[in-house]
Amino acid sequence: MDSTEKAWKPTDGGIAAPKGFYATGVQAGIKYKDKYDVAIIFSDVQAQAAGVYTRNLVKAHPLYLTQRHLKNGMARAIVVNSGNANACVGEFGDQAAFAMAEVVGMYLGLEPEDVLVASTGVIGVEMPLDRVLNGIRTASSLLLNDVVKGIRGHKEMADEGAHRAALAIMTTDTMVKEYAYELPCSQGGVIHLGAIAKGSGMIHPNMGTMLGFITTDAFLSSEDLQRILREAVEESFNMVTIDGDTSTNDMVLLLANGSSGIAPVGEDRVNFEKMVKSMCIELAKDIARDGEGASKLMEVSVLGAKTIEDARKIARSICGSSLVKAALFGEDANWGRILTAAGYSGAEFNPESVDVLLGDLIVAQAGKGVAFSEDRAKEILGHKEVHIRLNLHNGEEQATAWGCDLTHEYVTINGSYRT
């Protein structure tokens, strides 16, 4: 296989592409009329599960519930609402989160402990629980009908349900973030992987940086899933920054129900882990591309670092710099801001050895500016995707981070988010 060729390929079905998984989304009117805002993802058999969560000390009520429910490493369903974060509202928030799990369990024949809960939206406001629970009842009924009717045989209907789930978790997102891959295995058979995510603002490394839900029909233990997920997150969601804020609700969950009958080993296992990482990176890039008010995707690659952590620190620091982001918006080749952001990242390197490139254009070499075409630089910075590269000439490690420009629209969106 060519080094650039992937062992997996895209497929349809989104989060419900893996065998035995179903998904749907409904309009419950939680914050806006005619917006999908309640989603349920359901496995028809018990699934092994893993989760990674925000490190913000202020955590939302559903996050605590999900952590408790995942202590045994198993789950059957995920219920998600947008429009209200269910965060910082006291005992009511704990009761509301459990009620969401309880109603899903009642309708789908599950123990509440087998239901994971996530919420996203405005913080510090009690959620309209009646509307949320009514939405859950409607979504659960739709899923039951899907399972009874064997909707997996009706591809368009199954795909539509998965797409509605992706719509239902969005807040200020302007684009749906959903993927599905399939991996033909050397032992015969195919493993499927599906995912949806939301994220546009309050995005910054320190996992989680958003909401992400991943499903697979591979057979793997929860311990293996936890390691695979954490490693994938380190190279994807933890390398994205939009605005330097990490939310109270952030989590990424991975469920594996084993319905393919395949426990990947050897090369299949290697390819499966690469597939998970690749999907997480694509979702992370979509989040950066969809940053609130953003007009450009910024990709920063750091080469020649002494350690992987040094490379990551520098890449994230540059992506997170307000001055770099503003210069990107203004299409100003201010490479000094890039080097400065590397300098305060906390990484160890020699500034006098660093080369800086915008796309393929060298703008600084050995820590000093060089003559370059301003017209060419402006052309590069005018693209929808801008690639910045630093070579530290200090080692063999490298890392990539993603972000976006800082526009007037970001302030407009966040100046009135609560209302």
Side-chain angles (χ1 to χ4, degrees):
M1 182 181 298
D2 185 272
S3 60
T4 60
E5 185 181 348
K6 296 175 181 176
W8 59 92
K9 61 182 180 180
T11 188
D12 299 322
I15 191 72
K19 293 179 181 178
F21 278 100
Y22 300 80
T24 196
V26 299
Q27 298 174 349
I30 294 173
K31 186 176 181 181
Y32 300 110
K33 187 180 179 181
D34 300 327
K35 182 198 178 301
Y36 287 96
D37 51 13
V38 170
I40 298 178
I41 303 158
F42 171 67
S43 172
D44 60 10
V45 296
Q46 189 70 275
Q48 299 293 302
V52 185
Y53 313 94
T54 184
R55 294 177 188 160
N56 195 323
L57 289 177
V58 182
K59 293 180 174 62
H61 304 284
L63 191 147
Y64 284 121
L65 181 77
T66 292
Q67 287 180 312
R68 291 196 301 273
H69 285 188
L70 260 188
K71 281 185 177 179
N72 65 356
M74 294 186 290
R76 286 280 303 278
I78 304 170
V79 58
V80 193
N81 76 272
S82 60
N84 187 289
N86 192 17
C88 306
V89 293
E91 186 177 350
F92 173 85
D94 294 329
Q95 294 171 350
F98 182 77
M100 292 174 67
E102 187 176 40
V103 172
V104 171
M106 289 173 56
Y107 273 75
L108 298 182
L110 313 176
E111 294 297 323
E113 290 74 19
D114 284 332
V115 182
L116 311 180
V117 183
S119 300
T120 182
V122 67
I123 295 169
V125 176
E126 290 189 0
M127 66 161 47
L129 188 56
D130 288 345
R131 276 177 267 168
V132 173
L133 297 185
N134 282 336
I136 290 173
R137 294 183 185 103
T138 301
S140 298
S141 296
L142 288 172
L143 280 180
L144 277 178
N145 288 333
D146 290 348
V147 174
V148 170
K149 292 178 180 178
I151 196 173
R152 295 199 63 83
H154 303 276
K155 180 179 175 301
E156 290 184 5
M157 294 174 65
D159 290 356
E160 180 58 30
H163 184 65
R164 289 197 304 267
L167 289 171
I169 69 174
M170 294 167 60
T171 51
T172 57
D173 305 61
T174 65
M175 58 181 284
V176 177
K177 303 167 182 71
E178 60 179 336
Y179 287 94
Y181 296 157
E182 59 181 22
L183 172 68
C185 295
S186 60
Q187 57 191 288
V190 176
I191 289 174
H192 297 88
L193 187 73
I196 58 175
K198 67 83 50 181
S200 187
M202 293 190 83
I203 305 293
H204 194 60
N206 223 8
M207 195 61 235
T209 51
M210 29 63 81
L211 293 182
F213 309 107
I214 308 168
T215 59
T216 182
D217 48 21
F219 185 86
L220 291 159
S221 70
S222 60
E223 291 81 10
D224 284 342
L225 290 176
Q226 190 66 47
R227 178 190 60 77
I228 292 168
L229 180 61
R230 191 166 297 280
E231 290 179 0
V233 162
E234 284 302 312
E235 292 191 33
S236 56
F237 302 124
N238 271 354
M239 296 301 290
V240 177
T241 182
I242 301 299
D243 48 19
D245 277 295
T246 300
S247 185
T248 55
N249 296 59
D250 305 330
M251 68 173 79
V252 179
L253 302 174
L254 171 58
L255 272 61
N257 67 7
S259 292
S260 68
I262 301 172
V265 296
E267 185 178 0
D268 291 337
R269 179 62 170 269
V270 171
N271 286 330
F272 175 79
E273 295 188 15
K274 287 181 178 179
M275 179 171 64
V276 173
K277 190 174 298 182
S278 177
M279 182 174 283
C280 288
I281 288 174
E282 289 304 313
L283 288 167
K285 290 170 68 175
D286 281 350
I287 288 169
R289 188 178 285 110
D290 195 29
E292 289 176 341
S295 66
K296 295 180 176 69
L297 170 70
M298 169 170 45
E299 180 175 278
V300 177
S301 298
V302 177
L303 314 173
K306 187 175 182 180
T307 68
I308 186 67
E309 191 51 42
D310 280 343
R312 287 175 176 171
K313 284 179 179 179
I314 292 172
R316 289 191 297 241
S317 182
I318 294 167
C319 278
S321 166
S322 294
L323 290 177
V324 172
K325 290 157 68 69
L328 183 61
F329 172 63
E331 300 176 4
D332 178 15
N334 194 336
W335 63 266
R337 292 181 177 179
I338 297 170
L339 191 57
T340 299
Y344 62 64
S345 67
E348 295 292 330
F349 68 98
N350 179 4
E352 296 181 357
S353 299
V354 180
D355 300 337
V356 181
L357 293 87
L358 301 177
D360 59 358
L361 180 67
I362 297 177
V363 294
Q365 199 163 24
K368 297 182 294 185
V370 298
F372 62 88
S373 167
E374 291 285 353
D375 289 341
R376 174 63 178 146
K378 192 168 185 63
E379 177 189 350
I380 292 170
L381 294 173
H383 294 161
K384 289 294 184 182
E385 297 189 11
V386 177
H387 301 270
I388 297 171
R389 284 187 293 156
L390 277 76
N391 193 331
L392 307 182
H393 296 289
N394 193 39
E396 301 299 324
E397 299 295 341
Q398 58 184 313
T400 300
W402 299 273
C404 62
D405 57 345
L406 181 60
T407 70
H408 306 297
E409 184 65 17
Y410 176 84
V411 179
T412 300
I413 292 170
N414 285 283
S416 58
Y417 183 79
R418 192 173 68 89
T419 55

